[in-house]
PDB file of all heavy atoms in Angstrom:
ATOM      1  N   VAL A  61      -0.260 -82.832  74.648  1.00 92.00           N
ATOM      2  CA  VAL A  61      -0.546 -81.682  73.775  1.00 92.00           C
ATOM      3  C   VAL A  61       0.488 -80.613  74.166  1.00 92.00           C
ATOM      4  O   VAL A  61       0.683 -80.270  75.341  1.00 92.00           O
ATOM      5  CB  VAL A  61      -1.964 -81.124  73.978  1.00 92.00           C
ATOM      6  CG1 VAL A  61      -2.170 -79.848  73.027  1.00 92.00           C
ATOM      7  CG2 VAL A  61      -3.039 -82.155  73.717  1.00 92.00           C
ATOM      8  N   PRO A  88      -5.917 -68.503  65.818  1.00 89.00           N
ATOM      9  CA  PRO A  88      -5.881 -69.968  65.963  1.00 89.00           C
ATOM     10  C   PRO A  88      -4.524 -70.440  66.396  1.00 89.00           C
ATOM     11  O   PRO A  88      -3.516 -70.016  65.846  1.00 89.00           O
ATOM     12  CB  PRO A  88      -6.310 -70.431  64.525  1.00 89.00           C
ATOM     13  CG  PRO A  88      -7.154 -69.350  63.995  1.00 89.00           C
ATOM     14  CD  PRO A  88      -6.490 -68.041  64.524  1.00 89.00           C
ATOM     15  N   GLN A  89      -4.538 -71.436  67.349  1.00 89.00           N
ATOM     16  CA  GLN A  89      -3.239 -71.880  67.886  1.00 89.00           C
ATOM     17  C   GLN A  89      -3.026 -73.303  67.403  1.00 89.00           C
ATOM     18  O   GLN A  89      -3.930 -74.110  67.579  1.00 89.00           O
ATOM     19  CB  GLN A  89      -3.297 -71.756  69.387  1.00 89.00           C
ATOM     20  CG  GLN A  89      -3.451 -70.352  69.864  1.00 89.00           C
ATOM     21  CD  GLN A  89      -2.315 -69.483  69.514  1.00 89.00           C
ATOM     22  OE1 GLN A  89      -1.156 -69.890  69.471  1.00 89.00           O
ATOM     23  NE2 GLN A  89      -2.612 -68.170  69.091  1.00 89.00           N
ATOM     24  N   HIS A  91      -0.984 -76.886  68.047  1.00 92.00           N
ATOM     25  CA  HIS A  91      -0.238 -77.644  68.975  1.00 92.00           C
ATOM     26  C   HIS A  91       0.133 -78.938  68.352  1.00 92.00           C
ATOM     27  O   HIS A  91      -0.699 -79.626  67.629  1.00 92.00           O
ATOM     28  CB  HIS A  91      -1.084 -77.913  70.224  1.00 92.00           C
ATOM     29  CG  HIS A  91      -1.470 -76.683  70.989  1.00 92.00           C
ATOM     30  ND1 HIS A  91      -0.785 -76.316  72.106  1.00 92.00           N
ATOM     31  CD2 HIS A  91      -2.419 -75.787  70.828  1.00 92.00           C
ATOM     32  CE1 HIS A  91      -1.318 -75.196  72.532  1.00 92.00           C
ATOM     33  NE2 HIS A  91      -2.371 -74.798  71.880  1.00 92.00           N
ATOM     34  N   VAL A  93       0.863 -83.057  68.860  1.00 92.00           N
ATOM     35  CA  VAL A  93       0.338 -84.050  69.764  1.00 92.00           C
ATOM     36  C   VAL A  93       1.079 -85.286  69.610  1.00 92.00           C
ATOM     37  O   VAL A  93       1.433 -85.783  68.494  1.00 92.00           O
ATOM     38  CB  VAL A  93      -1.220 -84.365  69.386  1.00 92.00           C
ATOM     39  CG1 VAL A  93      -1.745 -85.340  70.367  1.00 92.00           C
ATOM     40  CG2 VAL A  93      -2.055 -83.068  69.332  1.00 92.00           C
ATOM     41  N   THR A 108      -0.765 -82.714  64.420  1.00 93.00           N
ATOM     42  CA  THR A 108      -1.058 -81.434  64.912  1.00 93.00           C
ATOM     43  C   THR A 108      -2.499 -81.145  65.068  1.00 93.00           C
ATOM     44  O   THR A 108      -3.335 -81.734  64.262  1.00 93.00           O
ATOM     45  CB  THR A 108      -0.397 -80.236  64.170  1.00 93.00           C
ATOM     46  OG1 THR A 108      -0.922 -80.314  62.809  1.00 93.00           O
ATOM     47  CG2 THR A 108       1.137 -80.449  64.028  1.00 93.00           C
ATOM     48  N   VAL A 109      -2.885 -80.247  65.862  1.00 92.00           N
ATOM     49  CA  VAL A 109      -4.350 -79.805  65.956  1.00 92.00           C
ATOM     50  C   VAL A 109      -4.283 -78.271  66.168  1.00 92.00           C
ATOM     51  O   VAL A 109      -3.437 -77.722  66.883  1.00 92.00           O
ATOM     52  CB  VAL A 109      -5.014 -80.543  67.172  1.00 92.00           C
ATOM     53  CG1 VAL A 109      -4.376 -80.187  68.562  1.00 92.00           C
ATOM     54  CG2 VAL A 109      -6.500 -80.141  67.229  1.00 92.00           C
ATOM     55  N   THR A 110      -5.258 -77.623  65.487  1.00 92.00           N
ATOM     56  CA  THR A 110      -5.350 -76.179  65.627  1.00 92.00           C
ATOM     57  C   THR A 110      -6.755 -75.818  66.218  1.00 92.00           C
ATOM     58  O   THR A 110      -7.732 -76.329  65.805  1.00 92.00           O
ATOM     59  CB  THR A 110      -5.244 -75.561  64.177  1.00 92.00           C
ATOM     60  OG1 THR A 110      -4.041 -75.893  63.672  1.00 92.00           O
ATOM     61  CG2 THR A 110      -5.364 -74.005  64.276  1.00 92.00           C
ATOM     62  N   HIS A 111      -6.660 -74.835  67.156  1.00 89.00           N
ATOM     63  CA  HIS A 111      -7.957 -74.528  67.816  1.00 89.00           C
ATOM     64  C   HIS A 111      -8.028 -73.043  68.050  1.00 89.00           C
ATOM     65  O   HIS A 111      -7.016 -72.318  68.089  1.00 89.00           O
ATOM     66  CB  HIS A 111      -8.079 -75.252  69.150  1.00 89.00           C
ATOM     67  CG  HIS A 111      -7.082 -74.793  70.173  1.00 89.00           C
ATOM     68  ND1 HIS A 111      -7.386 -73.847  71.146  1.00 89.00           N
ATOM     69  CD2 HIS A 111      -5.792 -75.198  70.403  1.00 89.00           C
ATOM     70  CE1 HIS A 111      -6.308 -73.690  71.890  1.00 89.00           C
ATOM     71  NE2 HIS A 111      -5.286 -74.529  71.483  1.00 89.00           N
ATOM     72  N   LEU A 112      -9.283 -72.521  68.181  1.00 90.00           N
ATOM     73  CA  LEU A 112      -9.540 -71.050  68.479  1.00 90.00           C
ATOM     74  C   LEU A 112     -10.350 -71.064  69.674  1.00 90.00           C
ATOM     75  O   LEU A 112     -11.540 -71.512  69.809  1.00 90.00           O
ATOM     76  CB  LEU A 112     -10.345 -70.483  67.332  1.00 90.00           C
ATOM     77  CG  LEU A 112     -10.617 -68.964  67.463  1.00 90.00           C
ATOM     78  CD1 LEU A 112      -9.334 -68.248  67.412  1.00 90.00           C
ATOM     79  CD2 LEU A 112     -11.536 -68.522  66.303  1.00 90.00           C
ATOM     80  N   PRO A 113      -9.853 -70.457  70.843  1.00 89.00           N
ATOM     81  CA  PRO A 113     -10.481 -70.652  72.140  1.00 89.00           C
ATOM     82  C   PRO A 113     -10.934 -69.319  72.780  1.00 89.00           C
ATOM     83  O   PRO A 113     -10.389 -68.890  73.780  1.00 89.00           O
ATOM     84  CB  PRO A 113      -9.230 -71.292  72.994  1.00 89.00           C
ATOM     85  CG  PRO A 113      -8.088 -70.599  72.463  1.00 89.00           C
ATOM     86  CD  PRO A 113      -8.362 -70.194  70.922  1.00 89.00           C
ATOM     87  N   PRO A 114     -11.875 -68.539  72.231  1.00 92.00           N
ATOM     88  CA  PRO A 114     -12.344 -67.314  72.879  1.00 92.00           C
ATOM     89  C   PRO A 114     -13.001 -67.727  74.192  1.00 92.00           C
ATOM     90  O   PRO A 114     -13.631 -68.705  74.392  1.00 92.00           O
ATOM     91  CB  PRO A 114     -13.385 -66.832  71.940  1.00 92.00           C
ATOM     92  CG  PRO A 114     -13.871 -68.072  71.094  1.00 92.00           C
ATOM     93  CD  PRO A 114     -12.659 -68.918  70.961  1.00 92.00           C
ATOM     94  N   ASN A 136     -15.741 -70.902  78.236  1.00 96.00           N
ATOM     95  CA  ASN A 136     -14.796 -71.006  77.144  1.00 96.00           C
ATOM     96  C   ASN A 136     -15.460 -71.790  75.987  1.00 96.00           C
ATOM     97  O   ASN A 136     -16.085 -72.794  76.179  1.00 96.00           O
ATOM     98  CB  ASN A 136     -13.560 -71.800  77.548  1.00 96.00           C
ATOM     99  CG  ASN A 136     -12.652 -72.219  76.444  1.00 96.00           C
ATOM    100  OD1 ASN A 136     -12.827 -73.217  75.842  1.00 96.00           O
ATOM    101  ND2 ASN A 136     -11.755 -71.309  76.016  1.00 96.00           N
ATOM    102  N   LEU A 137     -15.375 -71.241  74.776  1.00 94.00           N
ATOM    103  CA  LEU A 137     -15.815 -71.938  73.580  1.00 94.00           C
ATOM    104  C   LEU A 137     -14.653 -72.137  72.667  1.00 94.00           C
ATOM    105  O   LEU A 137     -13.978 -71.270  72.247  1.00 94.00           O
ATOM    106  CB  LEU A 137     -16.826 -71.059  72.828  1.00 94.00           C
ATOM    107  CG  LEU A 137     -18.082 -70.680  73.534  1.00 94.00           C
ATOM    108  CD1 LEU A 137     -18.904 -69.608  72.701  1.00 94.00           C
ATOM    109  CD2 LEU A 137     -18.937 -71.875  73.879  1.00 94.00           C
ATOM    110  N   THR A 138     -14.349 -73.361  72.477  1.00 94.00           N
ATOM    111  CA  THR A 138     -13.137 -73.713  71.673  1.00 94.00           C
ATOM    112  C   THR A 138     -13.561 -74.467  70.374  1.00 94.00           C
ATOM    113  O   THR A 138     -14.252 -75.536  70.404  1.00 94.00           O
ATOM    114  CB  THR A 138     -12.153 -74.702  72.464  1.00 94.00           C
ATOM    115  OG1 THR A 138     -11.681 -73.973  73.564  1.00 94.00           O
ATOM    116  CG2 THR A 138     -11.007 -75.150  71.546  1.00 94.00           C
ATOM    117  N   TRP A 139     -13.127 -73.885  69.251  1.00 93.00           N
ATOM    118  CA  TRP A 139     -13.351 -74.503  67.902  1.00 93.00           C
ATOM    119  C   TRP A 139     -12.076 -75.184  67.499  1.00 93.00           C
ATOM    120  O   TRP A 139     -10.982 -74.421  67.400  1.00 93.00           O
ATOM    121  CB  TRP A 139     -13.829 -73.496  66.906  1.00 93.00           C
ATOM    122  CG  TRP A 139     -15.205 -73.028  67.038  1.00 93.00           C
ATOM    123  CD1 TRP A 139     -16.348 -73.654  66.574  1.00 93.00           C
ATOM    124  CD2 TRP A 139     -15.707 -71.912  67.763  1.00 93.00           C
ATOM    125  NE1 TRP A 139     -17.486 -72.952  66.866  1.00 93.00           N
ATOM    126  CE2 TRP A 139     -17.105 -71.882  67.655  1.00 93.00           C
ATOM    127  CE3 TRP A 139     -15.030 -70.849  68.488  1.00 93.00           C
ATOM    128  CZ2 TRP A 139     -17.813 -70.926  68.238  1.00 93.00           C
ATOM    129  CZ3 TRP A 139     -15.832 -69.914  69.061  1.00 93.00           C
ATOM    130  CH2 TRP A 139     -17.257 -69.918  68.926  1.00 93.00           C
ATOM    131  N   PHE A 140     -12.105 -76.452  67.223  1.00 90.00           N
ATOM    132  CA  PHE A 140     -11.022 -77.070  66.611  1.00 90.00           C
ATOM    133  C   PHE A 140     -11.096 -76.937  65.100  1.00 90.00           C
ATOM    134  O   PHE A 140     -11.905 -77.609  64.404  1.00 90.00           O
ATOM    135  CB  PHE A 140     -10.963 -78.619  67.077  1.00 90.00           C
ATOM    136  CG  PHE A 140     -10.636 -78.757  68.482  1.00 90.00           C
ATOM    137  CD1 PHE A 140     -11.719 -78.989  69.397  1.00 90.00           C
ATOM    138  CD2 PHE A 140      -9.429 -78.806  68.964  1.00 90.00           C
ATOM    139  CE1 PHE A 140     -11.409 -79.106  70.736  1.00 90.00           C
ATOM    140  CE2 PHE A 140      -9.158 -78.980  70.394  1.00 90.00           C
ATOM    141  CZ  PHE A 140     -10.177 -79.149  71.211  1.00 90.00           C
ATOM    142  N   THR A 141     -10.373 -75.949  64.618  1.00 82.00           N
ATOM    143  CA  THR A 141     -10.516 -75.606  63.282  1.00 82.00           C
ATOM    144  C   THR A 141      -9.796 -76.484  62.222  1.00 82.00           C
ATOM    145  O   THR A 141     -10.162 -76.520  61.051  1.00 82.00           O
ATOM    146  CB  THR A 141      -9.963 -74.103  63.013  1.00 82.00           C
ATOM    147  OG1 THR A 141      -8.576 -74.129  63.369  1.00 82.00           O
ATOM    148  CG2 THR A 141     -10.722 -73.167  63.851  1.00 82.00           C
ATOM    149  N   GLN A 142      -8.847 -77.174  62.661  1.00 79.00           N
ATOM    150  CA  GLN A 142      -8.076 -78.076  61.811  1.00 79.00           C
ATOM    151  C   GLN A 142      -7.344 -79.096  62.636  1.00 79.00           C
ATOM    152  O   GLN A 142      -6.756 -78.861  63.590  1.00 79.00           O
ATOM    153  CB  GLN A 142      -7.081 -77.283  60.923  1.00 79.00           C
ATOM    154  CG  GLN A 142      -6.331 -78.125  59.864  1.00 79.00           C
ATOM    155  CD  GLN A 142      -5.389 -77.195  59.003  1.00 79.00           C
ATOM    156  OE1 GLN A 142      -4.387 -76.725  59.538  1.00 79.00           O
ATOM    157  NE2 GLN A 142      -5.766 -76.976  57.804  1.00 79.00           N
ATOM    158  N   ASP A 143      -7.424 -80.411  62.173  1.00 82.00           N
ATOM    159  CA  ASP A 143      -6.728 -81.476  62.849  1.00 82.00           C
ATOM    160  C   ASP A 143      -6.022 -82.314  61.708  1.00 82.00           C
ATOM    161  O   ASP A 143      -6.647 -82.680  60.782  1.00 82.00           O
ATOM    162  CB  ASP A 143      -7.559 -82.207  63.747  1.00 82.00           C
ATOM    163  CG  ASP A 143      -8.596 -83.009  62.978  1.00 82.00           C
ATOM    164  OD1 ASP A 143      -9.714 -82.365  62.857  1.00 82.00           O
ATOM    165  OD2 ASP A 143      -8.432 -84.182  62.681  1.00 82.00           O
ATOM    166  N   LEU A 145      -4.220 -85.499  62.417  1.00 88.00           N
ATOM    167  CA  LEU A 145      -3.844 -86.577  63.383  1.00 88.00           C
ATOM    168  C   LEU A 145      -3.943 -87.857  62.689  1.00 88.00           C
ATOM    169  O   LEU A 145      -4.941 -88.168  62.007  1.00 88.00           O
ATOM    170  CB  LEU A 145      -4.724 -86.447  64.563  1.00 88.00           C
ATOM    171  CG  LEU A 145      -4.700 -85.145  65.399  1.00 88.00           C
ATOM    172  CD1 LEU A 145      -5.652 -85.161  66.484  1.00 88.00           C
ATOM    173  CD2 LEU A 145      -3.222 -84.915  65.987  1.00 88.00           C
ATOM    174  N   ASP A 154      -9.949 -88.610  64.063  1.00 90.00           N
ATOM    175  CA  ASP A 154     -10.922 -87.479  63.973  1.00 90.00           C
ATOM    176  C   ASP A 154     -11.225 -87.004  65.377  1.00 90.00           C
ATOM    177  O   ASP A 154     -11.194 -87.757  66.383  1.00 90.00           O
ATOM    178  CB  ASP A 154     -12.109 -87.911  63.274  1.00 90.00           C
ATOM    179  CG  ASP A 154     -11.974 -88.301  61.873  1.00 90.00           C
ATOM    180  OD1 ASP A 154     -11.312 -87.621  61.137  1.00 90.00           O
ATOM    181  OD2 ASP A 154     -12.549 -89.369  61.447  1.00 90.00           O
ATOM    182  N   ILE A 155     -11.373 -85.750  65.541  1.00 90.00           N
ATOM    183  CA  ILE A 155     -11.834 -85.150  66.838  1.00 90.00           C
ATOM    184  C   ILE A 155     -13.070 -84.324  66.721  1.00 90.00           C
ATOM    185  O   ILE A 155     -13.349 -83.850  65.624  1.00 90.00           O
ATOM    186  CB  ILE A 155     -10.648 -84.271  67.474  1.00 90.00           C
ATOM    187  CG1 ILE A 155     -10.385 -83.077  66.584  1.00 90.00           C
ATOM    188  CG2 ILE A 155      -9.453 -85.071  67.684  1.00 90.00           C
ATOM    189  CD1 ILE A 155      -9.296 -82.135  67.114  1.00 90.00           C
ATOM    190  N   ASP A 156     -13.742 -84.116  67.824  1.00 90.00           N
ATOM    191  CA  ASP A 156     -14.975 -83.244  67.787  1.00 90.00           C
ATOM    192  C   ASP A 156     -14.510 -81.800  67.535  1.00 90.00           C
ATOM    193  O   ASP A 156     -13.433 -81.380  67.945  1.00 90.00           O
ATOM    194  CB  ASP A 156     -15.670 -83.242  69.204  1.00 90.00           C
ATOM    195  CG  ASP A 156     -16.362 -84.710  69.384  1.00 90.00           C
ATOM    196  OD1 ASP A 156     -16.470 -85.412  68.368  1.00 90.00           O
ATOM    197  OD2 ASP A 156     -16.726 -84.876  70.552  1.00 90.00           O
ATOM    198  N   ASN A 157     -15.371 -81.050  66.875  1.00 89.00           N
ATOM    199  CA  ASN A 157     -15.015 -79.731  66.424  1.00 89.00           C
ATOM    200  C   ASN A 157     -15.278 -78.610  67.469  1.00 89.00           C
ATOM    201  O   ASN A 157     -14.773 -77.507  67.381  1.00 89.00           O
ATOM    202  CB  ASN A 157     -15.812 -79.398  65.177  1.00 89.00           C
ATOM    203  CG  ASN A 157     -15.384 -80.149  63.948  1.00 89.00           C
ATOM    204  OD1 ASN A 157     -14.266 -80.444  63.884  1.00 89.00           O
ATOM    205  ND2 ASN A 157     -16.317 -80.428  63.125  1.00 89.00           N
ATOM    206  N   LEU A 158     -16.103 -78.896  68.485  1.00 92.00           N
ATOM    207  CA  LEU A 158     -16.538 -77.849  69.438  1.00 92.00           C
ATOM    208  C   LEU A 158     -16.445 -78.339  70.804  1.00 92.00           C
ATOM    209  O   LEU A 158     -16.887 -79.449  71.187  1.00 92.00           O
ATOM    210  CB  LEU A 158     -17.870 -77.312  69.158  1.00 92.00           C
ATOM    211  CG  LEU A 158     -18.464 -76.306  70.145  1.00 92.00           C
ATOM    212  CD1 LEU A 158     -17.661 -74.967  69.988  1.00 92.00           C
ATOM    213  CD2 LEU A 158     -19.849 -76.026  69.692  1.00 92.00           C
ATOM    214  N   SER A 159     -15.850 -77.538  71.715  1.00 95.00           N
ATOM    215  CA  SER A 159     -15.831 -77.810  73.191  1.00 95.00           C
ATOM    216  C   SER A 159     -16.374 -76.595  73.973  1.00 95.00           C
ATOM    217  O   SER A 159     -15.959 -75.503  73.632  1.00 95.00           O
ATOM    218  CB  SER A 159     -14.341 -78.128  73.677  1.00 95.00           C
ATOM    219  OG  SER A 159     -14.364 -78.163  75.061  1.00 95.00           O
ATOM    220  N   VAL A 160     -17.262 -76.890  74.800  1.00 96.00           N
ATOM    221  CA  VAL A 160     -17.906 -75.809  75.613  1.00 96.00           C
ATOM    222  C   VAL A 160     -17.614 -76.147  77.094  1.00 96.00           C
ATOM    223  O   VAL A 160     -17.995 -77.291  77.533  1.00 96.00           O
ATOM    224  CB  VAL A 160     -19.411 -75.627  75.388  1.00 96.00           C
ATOM    225  CG1 VAL A 160     -19.911 -74.513  76.265  1.00 96.00           C
ATOM    226  CG2 VAL A 160     -19.593 -75.325  73.922  1.00 96.00           C
ATOM    227  N   TRP A 186     -11.643 -75.317  80.865  1.00 96.00           N
ATOM    228  CA  TRP A 186     -11.924 -76.690  80.690  1.00 96.00           C
ATOM    229  C   TRP A 186     -12.318 -76.955  79.237  1.00 96.00           C
ATOM    230  O   TRP A 186     -13.341 -76.576  78.715  1.00 96.00           O
ATOM    231  CB  TRP A 186     -13.055 -77.136  81.690  1.00 96.00           C
ATOM    232  CG  TRP A 186     -12.519 -77.296  83.031  1.00 96.00           C
ATOM    233  CD1 TRP A 186     -12.172 -78.550  83.589  1.00 96.00           C
ATOM    234  CD2 TRP A 186     -12.293 -76.411  84.052  1.00 96.00           C
ATOM    235  NE1 TRP A 186     -11.794 -78.440  84.846  1.00 96.00           N
ATOM    236  CE2 TRP A 186     -11.747 -77.057  85.224  1.00 96.00           C
ATOM    237  CE3 TRP A 186     -12.383 -74.966  84.097  1.00 96.00           C
ATOM    238  CZ2 TRP A 186     -11.503 -76.381  86.362  1.00 96.00           C
ATOM    239  CZ3 TRP A 186     -12.071 -74.269  85.270  1.00 96.00           C
ATOM    240  CH2 TRP A 186     -11.594 -75.022  86.357  1.00 96.00           C
ATOM    241  N   ILE A 187     -11.359 -77.655  78.545  1.00 94.00           N
ATOM    242  CA  ILE A 187     -11.505 -77.971  77.110  1.00 94.00           C
ATOM    243  C   ILE A 187     -11.359 -79.491  76.886  1.00 94.00           C
ATOM    244  O   ILE A 187     -10.355 -80.090  77.321  1.00 94.00           O
ATOM    245  CB  ILE A 187     -10.428 -77.274  76.240  1.00 94.00           C
ATOM    246  CG1 ILE A 187     -10.512 -75.701  76.489  1.00 94.00           C
ATOM    247  CG2 ILE A 187     -10.525 -77.574  74.798  1.00 94.00           C
ATOM    248  CD1 ILE A 187      -9.416 -74.956  75.839  1.00 94.00           C
ATOM    249  N   SER A 188     -12.379 -80.112  76.216  1.00 93.00           N
ATOM    250  CA  SER A 188     -12.371 -81.546  76.139  1.00 93.00           C
ATOM    251  C   SER A 188     -12.880 -81.882  74.634  1.00 93.00           C
ATOM    252  O   SER A 188     -13.682 -81.202  74.049  1.00 93.00           O
ATOM    253  CB  SER A 188     -13.360 -82.205  77.114  1.00 93.00           C
ATOM    254  OG  SER A 188     -13.407 -83.583  76.998  1.00 93.00           O
ATOM    255  N   THR A 189     -12.271 -83.005  74.164  1.00 91.00           N
ATOM    256  CA  THR A 189     -12.702 -83.466  72.848  1.00 91.00           C
ATOM    257  C   THR A 189     -12.523 -84.934  72.757  1.00 91.00           C
ATOM    258  O   THR A 189     -11.672 -85.590  73.392  1.00 91.00           O
ATOM    259  CB  THR A 189     -11.901 -82.743  71.708  1.00 91.00           C
ATOM    260  OG1 THR A 189     -12.377 -83.260  70.405  1.00 91.00           O
ATOM    261  CG2 THR A 189     -10.389 -83.178  71.795  1.00 91.00           C
ATOM    262  N   ASP A 190     -13.402 -85.634  72.022  1.00 92.00           N
ATOM    263  CA  ASP A 190     -13.321 -87.044  71.791  1.00 92.00           C
ATOM    264  C   ASP A 190     -12.480 -87.355  70.535  1.00 92.00           C
ATOM    265  O   ASP A 190     -12.567 -86.654  69.488  1.00 92.00           O
ATOM    266  CB  ASP A 190     -14.711 -87.717  71.587  1.00 92.00           C
ATOM    267  CG  ASP A 190     -15.510 -87.696  72.795  1.00 92.00           C
ATOM    268  OD1 ASP A 190     -15.051 -87.603  73.918  1.00 92.00           O
ATOM    269  OD2 ASP A 190     -16.744 -87.728  72.713  1.00 92.00           O
ATOM    270  N   VAL A 201      -9.839 -86.650  75.328  1.00 92.00           N
ATOM    271  CA  VAL A 201      -8.743 -85.905  75.731  1.00 92.00           C
ATOM    272  C   VAL A 201      -9.188 -84.652  76.499  1.00 92.00           C
ATOM    273  O   VAL A 201      -9.957 -83.830  75.893  1.00 92.00           O
ATOM    274  CB  VAL A 201      -7.735 -85.596  74.647  1.00 92.00           C
ATOM    275  CG1 VAL A 201      -6.607 -84.678  75.115  1.00 92.00           C
ATOM    276  CG2 VAL A 201      -7.236 -86.815  73.963  1.00 92.00           C
ATOM    277  N   ASP A 202      -8.850 -84.405  77.713  1.00 92.00           N
ATOM    278  CA  ASP A 202      -9.094 -83.176  78.455  1.00 92.00           C
ATOM    279  C   ASP A 202      -7.901 -82.335  78.349  1.00 92.00           C
ATOM    280  O   ASP A 202      -6.879 -82.548  79.093  1.00 92.00           O
ATOM    281  CB  ASP A 202      -9.496 -83.474  79.893  1.00 92.00           C
ATOM    282  CG  ASP A 202     -10.740 -84.346  80.003  1.00 92.00           C
ATOM    283  OD1 ASP A 202     -11.715 -84.099  79.168  1.00 92.00           O
ATOM    284  OD2 ASP A 202     -10.787 -85.219  80.806  1.00 92.00           O
ATOM    285  N   VAL A 203      -7.963 -81.295  77.557  1.00 92.00           N
ATOM    286  CA  VAL A 203      -6.772 -80.378  77.372  1.00 92.00           C
ATOM    287  C   VAL A 203      -6.644 -79.521  78.639  1.00 92.00           C
ATOM    288  O   VAL A 203      -5.563 -79.356  79.171  1.00 92.00           O
ATOM    289  CB  VAL A 203      -6.979 -79.543  76.128  1.00 92.00           C
ATOM    290  CG1 VAL A 203      -5.724 -78.618  75.902  1.00 92.00           C
ATOM    291  CG2 VAL A 203      -7.230 -80.422  74.892  1.00 92.00           C
ATOM    292  N   ASP A 204      -7.759 -78.875  79.015  1.00 94.00           N
ATOM    293  CA  ASP A 204      -7.866 -78.176  80.338  1.00 94.00           C
ATOM    294  C   ASP A 204      -6.673 -77.333  80.690  1.00 94.00           C
ATOM    295  O   ASP A 204      -5.986 -77.506  81.751  1.00 94.00           O
ATOM    296  CB  ASP A 204      -8.137 -79.149  81.442  1.00 94.00           C
ATOM    297  CG  ASP A 204      -9.415 -79.935  81.363  1.00 94.00           C
ATOM    298  OD1 ASP A 204     -10.226 -79.551  80.479  1.00 94.00           O
ATOM    299  OD2 ASP A 204      -9.637 -80.895  82.167  1.00 94.00           O
ATOM    300  N   PRO A 205      -6.283 -76.379  79.831  1.00 94.00           N
ATOM    301  CA  PRO A 205      -5.025 -75.661  80.007  1.00 94.00           C
ATOM    302  C   PRO A 205      -5.108 -74.550  81.104  1.00 94.00           C
ATOM    303  O   PRO A 205      -6.207 -74.009  81.401  1.00 94.00           O
ATOM    304  CB  PRO A 205      -4.809 -75.024  78.654  1.00 94.00           C
ATOM    305  CG  PRO A 205      -6.159 -74.719  78.177  1.00 94.00           C
ATOM    306  CD  PRO A 205      -6.981 -75.905  78.642  1.00 94.00           C
TER     307      PRO A 205
END
Side-chain angles (χ1 to χ4, degrees):
V61 181
Q89 299 298 322
H91 296 262
V93 183
T108 61
V109 62
T110 302
H111 67 96
L112 183 65
N136 169 270
L137 300 174
T138 294
W139 284 274
F140 292 94
T141 58
Q142 188 178 68
D143 62 274
L145 301 172
D154 298 312
I155 62 175
D156 291 347
N157 292 328
L158 177 64
S159 171
V160 180
W186 279 263
I187 302 172
S188 179
T189 185
D190 290 337
V201 177
D202 297 320
V203 183
D204 296 351

